[in-house]
Amino acid sequence: QVQLVESGGGLVQPGGSLRLSCAVSGNIVSIGTMQWYRQAPGKTRELVATLDRGDTVKYMDSAKGRFTGSRDDAKNTAYLQMTSLRPEDTAVYSCNADEIRVYGDTHSKNIWGRGTQVTVSS
């Protein structure tokens, strides 16, 4: 069974940093696109970063220059390094992994995690 777990959230002061992790487990052959989303209370979900296989990363405008997405395909894990955090970055950050191929299964999968809370406050 494929599972995805986010970690690394917490409470941080404005200007601080956090590193989020998104780990996919199971009999994984490969993972396609991985994406980070966030949703603040009362707001719609936002796409924060898209990590394609390889080195291509796309960011939402407010994340450019502050957030850095990366992935380690050997570990089936994606990361989101967040710096210069602002109170408006407060949200539940979730990860989505698409085109997951598993040994013994010809169909690819898409999976979401439950999210990790990031709170930026003094």
Short mmCIF file of all heavy atoms in Angstrom, two decimals, residues 57-118:
data_model
loop_
_atom_site.label_atom_id
_atom_site.label_comp_id
_atom_site.label_asym_id
_atom_site.label_seq_id
_atom_site.Cartn_x
_atom_site.Cartn_y
_atom_site.Cartn_z
N VAL A 57 11.51 23.11 -11.04
CA VAL A 57 10.61 23.47 -9.95
C VAL A 57 9.91 24.77 -10.32
O VAL A 57 10.56 25.73 -10.74
CB VAL A 57 11.35 23.64 -8.61
CG1 VAL A 57 10.33 23.89 -7.49
CG2 VAL A 57 12.19 22.43 -8.28
N LYS A 58 8.61 24.82 -10.15
CA LYS A 58 7.85 26.04 -10.39
C LYS A 58 7.21 26.46 -9.07
O LYS A 58 6.75 25.62 -8.30
CB LYS A 58 6.79 25.80 -11.46
CG LYS A 58 7.36 25.40 -12.81
CD LYS A 58 6.26 25.13 -13.82
CE LYS A 58 6.85 24.68 -15.15
NZ LYS A 58 5.78 24.35 -16.13
N TYR A 59 7.17 27.77 -8.85
CA TYR A 59 6.68 28.31 -7.58
C TYR A 59 5.54 29.29 -7.78
O TYR A 59 5.47 30.00 -8.79
CB TYR A 59 7.81 29.04 -6.84
CG TYR A 59 9.02 28.21 -6.54
CD1 TYR A 59 10.12 28.23 -7.40
CD2 TYR A 59 9.08 27.40 -5.41
CE1 TYR A 59 11.24 27.46 -7.14
CE2 TYR A 59 10.21 26.64 -5.14
CZ TYR A 59 11.28 26.67 -6.01
OH TYR A 59 12.39 25.92 -5.75
N MET A 60 4.70 29.39 -6.76
CA MET A 60 3.73 30.48 -6.75
C MET A 60 4.51 31.77 -6.54
O MET A 60 5.63 31.77 -5.99
CB MET A 60 2.71 30.27 -5.62
CG MET A 60 3.30 30.31 -4.22
SD MET A 60 2.12 29.93 -2.91
CE MET A 60 0.95 31.26 -3.11
N ASP A 61 3.93 32.87 -6.97
CA ASP A 61 4.67 34.13 -6.96
C ASP A 61 5.20 34.50 -5.58
O ASP A 61 6.35 34.92 -5.43
CB ASP A 61 3.78 35.27 -7.49
CG ASP A 61 3.61 35.20 -9.00
OD1 ASP A 61 4.38 34.47 -9.66
OD2 ASP A 61 2.70 35.87 -9.52
N SER A 62 4.38 34.34 -4.55
CA SER A 62 4.81 34.78 -3.21
C SER A 62 5.89 33.88 -2.62
O SER A 62 6.50 34.23 -1.61
CB SER A 62 3.61 34.85 -2.27
OG SER A 62 3.06 33.57 -2.07
N ALA A 63 6.12 32.73 -3.23
CA ALA A 63 7.14 31.81 -2.74
C ALA A 63 8.49 32.00 -3.43
O ALA A 63 9.52 31.55 -2.92
CB ALA A 63 6.68 30.37 -2.93
N LYS A 64 8.47 32.67 -4.56
CA LYS A 64 9.71 32.85 -5.32
C LYS A 64 10.74 33.63 -4.51
O LYS A 64 10.44 34.67 -3.93
CB LYS A 64 9.42 33.55 -6.64
CG LYS A 64 8.59 32.72 -7.60
CD LYS A 64 8.27 33.50 -8.87
CE LYS A 64 7.41 32.67 -9.81
NZ LYS A 64 7.02 33.41 -11.03
N GLY A 65 11.94 33.10 -4.48
CA GLY A 65 13.01 33.74 -3.74
C GLY A 65 13.05 33.41 -2.26
O GLY A 65 14.02 33.72 -1.57
N ARG A 66 11.99 32.77 -1.75
CA ARG A 66 11.96 32.42 -0.32
C ARG A 66 11.88 30.92 -0.10
O ARG A 66 12.43 30.41 0.88
CB ARG A 66 10.75 33.07 0.35
CG ARG A 66 10.74 34.58 0.30
CD ARG A 66 9.62 35.17 1.17
NE ARG A 66 8.30 34.71 0.77
CZ ARG A 66 7.43 34.13 1.58
NH1 ARG A 66 7.73 33.94 2.87
NH2 ARG A 66 6.24 33.75 1.13
N PHE A 67 11.17 30.22 -0.98
CA PHE A 67 11.00 28.78 -0.84
C PHE A 67 11.84 28.05 -1.89
O PHE A 67 11.97 28.53 -3.02
CB PHE A 67 9.54 28.39 -1.03
CG PHE A 67 8.60 28.90 0.03
CD1 PHE A 67 9.03 29.71 1.07
CD2 PHE A 67 7.24 28.58 -0.04
CE1 PHE A 67 8.15 30.19 2.03
CE2 PHE A 67 6.35 29.04 0.92
CZ PHE A 67 6.81 29.85 1.95
N THR A 68 12.36 26.91 -1.50
CA THR A 68 13.12 26.08 -2.43
C THR A 68 12.61 24.65 -2.35
O THR A 68 12.67 24.03 -1.27
CB THR A 68 14.62 26.11 -2.11
OG1 THR A 68 15.09 27.46 -2.14
CG2 THR A 68 15.39 25.28 -3.12
N GLY A 69 12.13 24.17 -3.48
CA GLY A 69 11.66 22.79 -3.55
C GLY A 69 12.74 21.88 -4.10
O GLY A 69 13.52 22.28 -4.96
N SER A 70 12.78 20.68 -3.58
CA SER A 70 13.74 19.70 -4.09
C SER A 70 13.17 18.30 -3.86
O SER A 70 12.18 18.13 -3.14
CB SER A 70 15.10 19.84 -3.39
OG SER A 70 14.97 19.59 -2.01
N ARG A 71 13.76 17.33 -4.48
CA ARG A 71 13.33 15.96 -4.30
C ARG A 71 14.51 15.03 -4.36
O ARG A 71 15.50 15.30 -5.06
CB ARG A 71 12.26 15.58 -5.33
CG ARG A 71 12.65 15.78 -6.76
CD ARG A 71 11.44 15.61 -7.70
NE ARG A 71 11.01 14.23 -7.80
CZ ARG A 71 9.90 13.84 -8.44
NH1 ARG A 71 9.13 14.74 -9.03
NH2 ARG A 71 9.59 12.57 -8.51
N ASP A 72 14.39 13.94 -3.64
CA ASP A 72 15.39 12.87 -3.66
C ASP A 72 14.65 11.63 -4.13
O ASP A 72 13.96 10.97 -3.34
CB ASP A 72 15.98 12.69 -2.26
CG ASP A 72 17.08 11.65 -2.23
OD1 ASP A 72 17.16 10.82 -3.17
OD2 ASP A 72 17.85 11.63 -1.29
N ASP A 73 14.76 11.32 -5.40
CA ASP A 73 14.00 10.20 -5.96
C ASP A 73 14.47 8.86 -5.43
O ASP A 73 13.72 7.90 -5.42
CB ASP A 73 14.07 10.24 -7.49
CG ASP A 73 13.26 11.40 -8.07
OD1 ASP A 73 12.24 11.77 -7.43
OD2 ASP A 73 13.63 11.93 -9.13
N ALA A 74 15.70 8.79 -4.97
CA ALA A 74 16.18 7.55 -4.37
C ALA A 74 15.45 7.27 -3.06
O ALA A 74 15.31 6.11 -2.64
CB ALA A 74 17.68 7.62 -4.15
N LYS A 75 15.01 8.33 -2.39
CA LYS A 75 14.29 8.20 -1.12
C LYS A 75 12.79 8.41 -1.29
O LYS A 75 12.05 8.40 -0.30
CB LYS A 75 14.84 9.20 -0.11
CG LYS A 75 16.29 8.96 0.28
CD LYS A 75 16.75 9.98 1.32
CE LYS A 75 18.20 9.71 1.73
NZ LYS A 75 18.67 10.70 2.74
N ASN A 76 12.34 8.66 -2.52
CA ASN A 76 10.91 8.93 -2.78
C ASN A 76 10.41 10.05 -1.88
O ASN A 76 9.31 9.97 -1.32
CB ASN A 76 10.08 7.66 -2.58
CG ASN A 76 10.45 6.56 -3.54
OD1 ASN A 76 10.69 6.81 -4.73
ND2 ASN A 76 10.53 5.34 -3.03
N THR A 77 11.19 11.08 -1.77
CA THR A 77 10.89 12.17 -0.84
C THR A 77 11.07 13.52 -1.53
O THR A 77 12.03 13.71 -2.28
CB THR A 77 11.79 12.09 0.39
OG1 THR A 77 11.57 10.84 1.05
CG2 THR A 77 11.48 13.22 1.37
N ALA A 78 10.15 14.42 -1.24
CA ALA A 78 10.26 15.80 -1.70
C ALA A 78 10.41 16.70 -0.48
O ALA A 78 9.96 16.36 0.62
CB ALA A 78 9.03 16.20 -2.50
N TYR A 79 11.02 17.84 -0.70
CA TYR A 79 11.27 18.77 0.39
C TYR A 79 10.81 20.17 -0.03
O TYR A 79 10.76 20.51 -1.21
CB TYR A 79 12.76 18.82 0.73
CG TYR A 79 13.36 17.49 1.06
CD1 TYR A 79 14.00 16.73 0.09
CD2 TYR A 79 13.26 16.96 2.34
CE1 TYR A 79 14.54 15.49 0.39
CE2 TYR A 79 13.80 15.72 2.65
CZ TYR A 79 14.44 15.00 1.67
OH TYR A 79 14.98 13.77 1.98
N LEU A 80 10.50 20.96 0.98
CA LEU A 80 10.21 22.37 0.74
C LEU A 80 10.93 23.16 1.82
O LEU A 80 10.52 23.14 2.99
CB LEU A 80 8.71 22.66 0.77
CG LEU A 80 8.31 24.08 0.38
CD1 LEU A 80 8.62 24.33 -1.10
CD2 LEU A 80 6.83 24.33 0.65
N GLN A 81 12.02 23.80 1.44
CA GLN A 81 12.76 24.65 2.36
C GLN A 81 12.15 26.04 2.30
O GLN A 81 12.11 26.66 1.23
CB GLN A 81 14.24 24.70 1.95
CG GLN A 81 15.08 25.63 2.81
CD GLN A 81 15.27 25.09 4.22
OE1 GLN A 81 15.62 23.93 4.41
NE2 GLN A 81 15.03 25.93 5.22
N MET A 82 11.67 26.50 3.43
CA MET A 82 10.98 27.80 3.48
C MET A 82 11.80 28.75 4.35
O MET A 82 12.12 28.42 5.51
CB MET A 82 9.58 27.63 4.04
CG MET A 82 8.74 26.62 3.27
SD MET A 82 7.01 26.55 3.82
CE MET A 82 7.23 25.95 5.50
N THR A 83 12.13 29.89 3.82
CA THR A 83 12.87 30.91 4.55
C THR A 83 12.09 32.22 4.54
O THR A 83 11.12 32.37 3.80
CB THR A 83 14.27 31.12 3.95
OG1 THR A 83 14.12 31.61 2.60
CG2 THR A 83 15.05 29.82 3.91
N SER A 84 12.55 33.16 5.36
CA SER A 84 11.90 34.48 5.44
C SER A 84 10.39 34.33 5.59
O SER A 84 9.61 35.00 4.91
CB SER A 84 12.24 35.31 4.19
OG SER A 84 13.63 35.48 4.06
N LEU A 85 9.99 33.46 6.47
CA LEU A 85 8.57 33.17 6.62
C LEU A 85 7.80 34.37 7.15
O LEU A 85 8.31 35.16 7.96
CB LEU A 85 8.38 31.96 7.54
CG LEU A 85 8.66 30.61 6.85
CD1 LEU A 85 8.87 29.51 7.88
CD2 LEU A 85 7.53 30.26 5.90
N ARG A 86 6.57 34.48 6.68
CA ARG A 86 5.69 35.60 7.02
C ARG A 86 4.42 35.06 7.68
O ARG A 86 4.04 33.91 7.44
CB ARG A 86 5.31 36.36 5.74
CG ARG A 86 6.48 36.82 4.91
CD ARG A 86 6.02 37.21 3.52
NE ARG A 86 7.12 37.66 2.67
CZ ARG A 86 7.03 37.83 1.36
NH1 ARG A 86 5.87 37.60 0.74
NH2 ARG A 86 8.08 38.25 0.67
N PRO A 87 3.75 35.87 8.46
CA PRO A 87 2.50 35.40 9.06
C PRO A 87 1.50 34.88 8.02
O PRO A 87 0.76 33.93 8.30
CB PRO A 87 1.98 36.65 9.77
CG PRO A 87 3.21 37.40 10.14
CD PRO A 87 4.15 37.19 8.98
N GLU A 88 1.50 35.47 6.85
CA GLU A 88 0.57 35.03 5.80
C GLU A 88 0.95 33.68 5.20
O GLU A 88 0.19 33.13 4.40
CB GLU A 88 0.46 36.09 4.69
CG GLU A 88 1.77 36.51 4.08
CD GLU A 88 2.32 37.80 4.71
OE1 GLU A 88 2.19 37.95 5.94
OE2 GLU A 88 2.87 38.63 3.95
N ASP A 89 2.09 33.13 5.59
CA ASP A 89 2.45 31.79 5.16
C ASP A 89 1.81 30.73 6.06
O ASP A 89 1.91 29.53 5.78
CB ASP A 89 3.97 31.59 5.18
CG ASP A 89 4.68 32.45 4.16
OD1 ASP A 89 4.19 32.55 3.02
OD2 ASP A 89 5.75 33.00 4.49
N THR A 90 1.16 31.17 7.11
CA THR A 90 0.51 30.23 8.03
C THR A 90 -0.58 29.45 7.29
O THR A 90 -1.47 30.03 6.68
CB THR A 90 -0.11 30.98 9.21
OG1 THR A 90 0.94 31.59 9.98
CG2 THR A 90 -0.90 30.03 10.10
N ALA A 91 -0.48 28.13 7.35
CA ALA A 91 -1.42 27.26 6.64
C ALA A 91 -1.08 25.80 6.94
O ALA A 91 -0.04 25.51 7.52
CB ALA A 91 -1.33 27.51 5.13
N VAL A 92 -1.98 24.94 6.51
CA VAL A 92 -1.66 23.51 6.46
C VAL A 92 -1.04 23.23 5.10
O VAL A 92 -1.63 23.53 4.06
CB VAL A 92 -2.92 22.64 6.67
CG1 VAL A 92 -2.56 21.16 6.48
CG2 VAL A 92 -3.51 22.88 8.05
N TYR A 93 0.15 22.70 5.13
CA TYR A 93 0.87 22.39 3.89
C TYR A 93 0.72 20.90 3.59
O TYR A 93 1.02 20.05 4.43
CB TYR A 93 2.35 22.76 4.04
CG TYR A 93 2.59 24.25 3.97
CD1 TYR A 93 2.18 25.09 5.01
CD2 TYR A 93 3.20 24.82 2.86
CE1 TYR A 93 2.37 26.46 4.94
CE2 TYR A 93 3.41 26.19 2.78
CZ TYR A 93 2.99 27.00 3.83
OH TYR A 93 3.18 28.37 3.75
N SER A 94 0.26 20.64 2.37
CA SER A 94 0.02 19.26 1.95
C SER A 94 0.83 18.95 0.71
O SER A 94 1.18 19.84 -0.06
CB SER A 94 -1.46 19.05 1.64
OG SER A 94 -2.27 19.30 2.77
N CYS A 95 1.10 17.67 0.56
CA CYS A 95 1.87 17.21 -0.59
C CYS A 95 1.02 16.26 -1.43
O CYS A 95 0.21 15.48 -0.89
CB CYS A 95 3.13 16.48 -0.09
SG CYS A 95 4.20 15.82 -1.37
N ASN A 96 1.19 16.35 -2.73
CA ASN A 96 0.54 15.43 -3.65
C ASN A 96 1.59 14.79 -4.54
O ASN A 96 2.48 15.49 -5.04
CB ASN A 96 -0.49 16.17 -4.50
CG ASN A 96 -1.11 15.27 -5.55
OD1 ASN A 96 -0.65 15.21 -6.68
ND2 ASN A 96 -2.15 14.56 -5.17
N ALA A 97 1.48 13.50 -4.72
CA ALA A 97 2.39 12.78 -5.61
C ALA A 97 1.57 12.12 -6.71
O ALA A 97 0.56 11.46 -6.42
CB ALA A 97 3.19 11.74 -4.85
N ASP A 98 1.99 12.32 -7.94
CA ASP A 98 1.22 11.82 -9.09
C ASP A 98 2.05 10.83 -9.89
O ASP A 98 3.28 10.79 -9.78
CB ASP A 98 0.81 13.01 -9.97
CG ASP A 98 -0.27 12.65 -10.97
OD1 ASP A 98 -1.00 11.66 -10.73
OD2 ASP A 98 -0.40 13.35 -11.98
N GLU A 99 1.36 10.05 -10.67
CA GLU A 99 2.00 9.06 -11.55
C GLU A 99 2.94 8.16 -10.77
O GLU A 99 4.07 7.91 -11.18
CB GLU A 99 2.75 9.78 -12.68
CG GLU A 99 1.84 10.63 -13.55
CD GLU A 99 2.60 11.42 -14.60
OE1 GLU A 99 3.83 11.26 -14.70
OE2 GLU A 99 1.97 12.20 -15.30
N ILE A 100 2.44 7.68 -9.64
CA ILE A 100 3.23 6.76 -8.83
C ILE A 100 3.11 5.35 -9.43
O ILE A 100 2.00 4.85 -9.62
CB ILE A 100 2.74 6.72 -7.37
CG1 ILE A 100 2.79 8.12 -6.75
CG2 ILE A 100 3.56 5.73 -6.55
CD1 ILE A 100 2.13 8.20 -5.39
N ARG A 101 4.23 4.77 -9.73
CA ARG A 101 4.23 3.41 -10.26
C ARG A 101 4.77 2.47 -9.20
O ARG A 101 5.81 2.76 -8.58
CB ARG A 101 5.04 3.34 -11.54
CG ARG A 101 4.42 4.21 -12.65
CD ARG A 101 4.81 3.78 -14.04
NE ARG A 101 4.09 4.55 -15.06
CZ ARG A 101 2.89 4.20 -15.51
NH1 ARG A 101 2.28 3.13 -15.04
NH2 ARG A 101 2.29 4.94 -16.43
N VAL A 102 4.04 1.41 -9.01
CA VAL A 102 4.35 0.43 -7.96
C VAL A 102 4.65 -0.91 -8.60
O VAL A 102 4.03 -1.28 -9.62
CB VAL A 102 3.15 0.30 -6.99
CG1 VAL A 102 3.45 -0.72 -5.91
CG2 VAL A 102 2.79 1.64 -6.39
N TYR A 103 5.58 -1.65 -8.02
CA TYR A 103 5.91 -2.98 -8.53
C TYR A 103 4.65 -3.86 -8.53
O TYR A 103 3.89 -3.91 -7.56
CB TYR A 103 6.99 -3.63 -7.66
CG TYR A 103 8.35 -3.06 -7.87
CD1 TYR A 103 8.88 -2.17 -6.93
CD2 TYR A 103 9.11 -3.38 -8.99
CE1 TYR A 103 10.15 -1.63 -7.11
CE2 TYR A 103 10.37 -2.84 -9.18
CZ TYR A 103 10.89 -1.97 -8.24
OH TYR A 103 12.13 -1.44 -8.43
N GLY A 104 4.44 -4.54 -9.64
CA GLY A 104 3.33 -5.46 -9.74
C GLY A 104 1.99 -4.83 -10.07
O GLY A 104 0.97 -5.53 -10.07
N ASP A 105 1.97 -3.54 -10.34
CA ASP A 105 0.72 -2.86 -10.66
C ASP A 105 0.92 -2.04 -11.92
O ASP A 105 1.83 -1.21 -11.98
CB ASP A 105 0.30 -1.95 -9.50
CG ASP A 105 -1.12 -1.44 -9.65
OD1 ASP A 105 -1.66 -1.45 -10.78
OD2 ASP A 105 -1.71 -1.02 -8.62
N THR A 106 0.07 -2.25 -12.91
CA THR A 106 0.24 -1.54 -14.18
C THR A 106 -0.39 -0.15 -14.17
O THR A 106 -0.18 0.64 -15.07
CB THR A 106 -0.38 -2.35 -15.34
OG1 THR A 106 -1.77 -2.56 -15.05
CG2 THR A 106 0.32 -3.70 -15.48
N HIS A 107 -1.18 0.14 -13.15
CA HIS A 107 -1.85 1.43 -13.07
C HIS A 107 -1.07 2.39 -12.18
O HIS A 107 -0.62 2.01 -11.10
CB HIS A 107 -3.27 1.26 -12.53
CG HIS A 107 -4.15 0.43 -13.38
ND1 HIS A 107 -4.29 -0.94 -13.22
CD2 HIS A 107 -4.93 0.74 -14.45
CE1 HIS A 107 -5.11 -1.42 -14.12
NE2 HIS A 107 -5.51 -0.42 -14.90
N SER A 108 -0.94 3.63 -12.61
CA SER A 108 -0.27 4.62 -11.78
C SER A 108 -1.26 5.16 -10.75
O SER A 108 -2.48 5.06 -10.90
CB SER A 108 0.28 5.75 -12.63
OG SER A 108 -0.78 6.45 -13.26
N LYS A 109 -0.71 5.72 -9.71
CA LYS A 109 -1.53 6.20 -8.59
C LYS A 109 -1.27 7.68 -8.32
O LYS A 109 -0.23 8.23 -8.69
CB LYS A 109 -1.20 5.40 -7.32
CG LYS A 109 -1.40 3.90 -7.46
CD LYS A 109 -1.04 3.18 -6.20
CE LYS A 109 -1.06 1.67 -6.39
NZ LYS A 109 -2.41 1.19 -6.81
N ASN A 110 -2.24 8.28 -7.69
CA ASN A 110 -2.11 9.66 -7.20
C ASN A 110 -2.48 9.63 -5.72
O ASN A 110 -3.48 9.03 -5.33
CB ASN A 110 -3.04 10.60 -7.97
CG ASN A 110 -2.96 12.03 -7.50
OD1 ASN A 110 -3.38 12.38 -6.40
ND2 ASN A 110 -2.40 12.88 -8.34
N ILE A 111 -1.68 10.29 -4.89
CA ILE A 111 -1.93 10.22 -3.46
C ILE A 111 -1.66 11.56 -2.79
O ILE A 111 -0.77 12.31 -3.22
CB ILE A 111 -1.08 9.10 -2.82
CG1 ILE A 111 -1.51 8.85 -1.38
CG2 ILE A 111 0.40 9.40 -2.92
CD1 ILE A 111 -0.91 7.59 -0.77
N TRP A 112 -2.46 11.83 -1.76
CA TRP A 112 -2.31 13.02 -0.94
C TRP A 112 -1.91 12.62 0.47
O TRP A 112 -2.28 11.56 0.96
CB TRP A 112 -3.63 13.78 -0.85
CG TRP A 112 -4.03 14.50 -2.09
CD1 TRP A 112 -4.72 14.01 -3.14
CD2 TRP A 112 -3.77 15.88 -2.39
NE1 TRP A 112 -4.92 14.99 -4.08
CE2 TRP A 112 -4.35 16.14 -3.65
CE3 TRP A 112 -3.12 16.92 -1.72
CZ2 TRP A 112 -4.29 17.40 -4.26
CZ3 TRP A 112 -3.07 18.16 -2.31
CH2 TRP A 112 -3.64 18.40 -3.58
N GLY A 113 -1.21 13.53 1.14
CA GLY A 113 -0.96 13.35 2.55
C GLY A 113 -1.98 14.12 3.36
O GLY A 113 -2.85 14.81 2.82
N ARG A 114 -1.88 14.00 4.68
CA ARG A 114 -2.82 14.69 5.57
C ARG A 114 -2.40 16.12 5.86
O ARG A 114 -3.18 16.91 6.38
CB ARG A 114 -2.96 13.92 6.88
CG ARG A 114 -3.61 12.57 6.70
CD ARG A 114 -3.84 11.90 8.05
NE ARG A 114 -4.55 10.63 7.90
CZ ARG A 114 -4.91 9.86 8.92
NH1 ARG A 114 -4.63 10.22 10.15
NH2 ARG A 114 -5.55 8.74 8.70
N GLY A 115 -1.17 16.45 5.55
CA GLY A 115 -0.71 17.81 5.75
C GLY A 115 0.06 18.01 7.04
O GLY A 115 -0.01 17.20 7.97
N THR A 116 0.77 19.11 7.09
CA THR A 116 1.50 19.51 8.29
C THR A 116 1.27 21.00 8.52
O THR A 116 1.30 21.79 7.57
CB THR A 116 3.00 19.17 8.15
OG1 THR A 116 3.68 19.47 9.37
CG2 THR A 116 3.66 19.93 6.99
N GLN A 117 1.01 21.34 9.77
CA GLN A 117 0.66 22.73 10.09
C GLN A 117 1.91 23.60 10.19
O GLN A 117 2.87 23.24 10.89
CB GLN A 117 -0.10 22.79 11.42
CG GLN A 117 -0.43 24.19 11.90
CD GLN A 117 -1.49 24.86 11.05
OE1 GLN A 117 -2.51 24.27 10.71
NE2 GLN A 117 -1.25 26.13 10.69
N VAL A 118 1.88 24.71 9.52
CA VAL A 118 2.93 25.73 9.64
C VAL A 118 2.28 26.99 10.20
O VAL A 118 1.32 27.51 9.62
CB VAL A 118 3.59 26.03 8.28
CG1 VAL A 118 4.52 27.23 8.39
CG2 VAL A 118 4.34 24.81 7.77
#
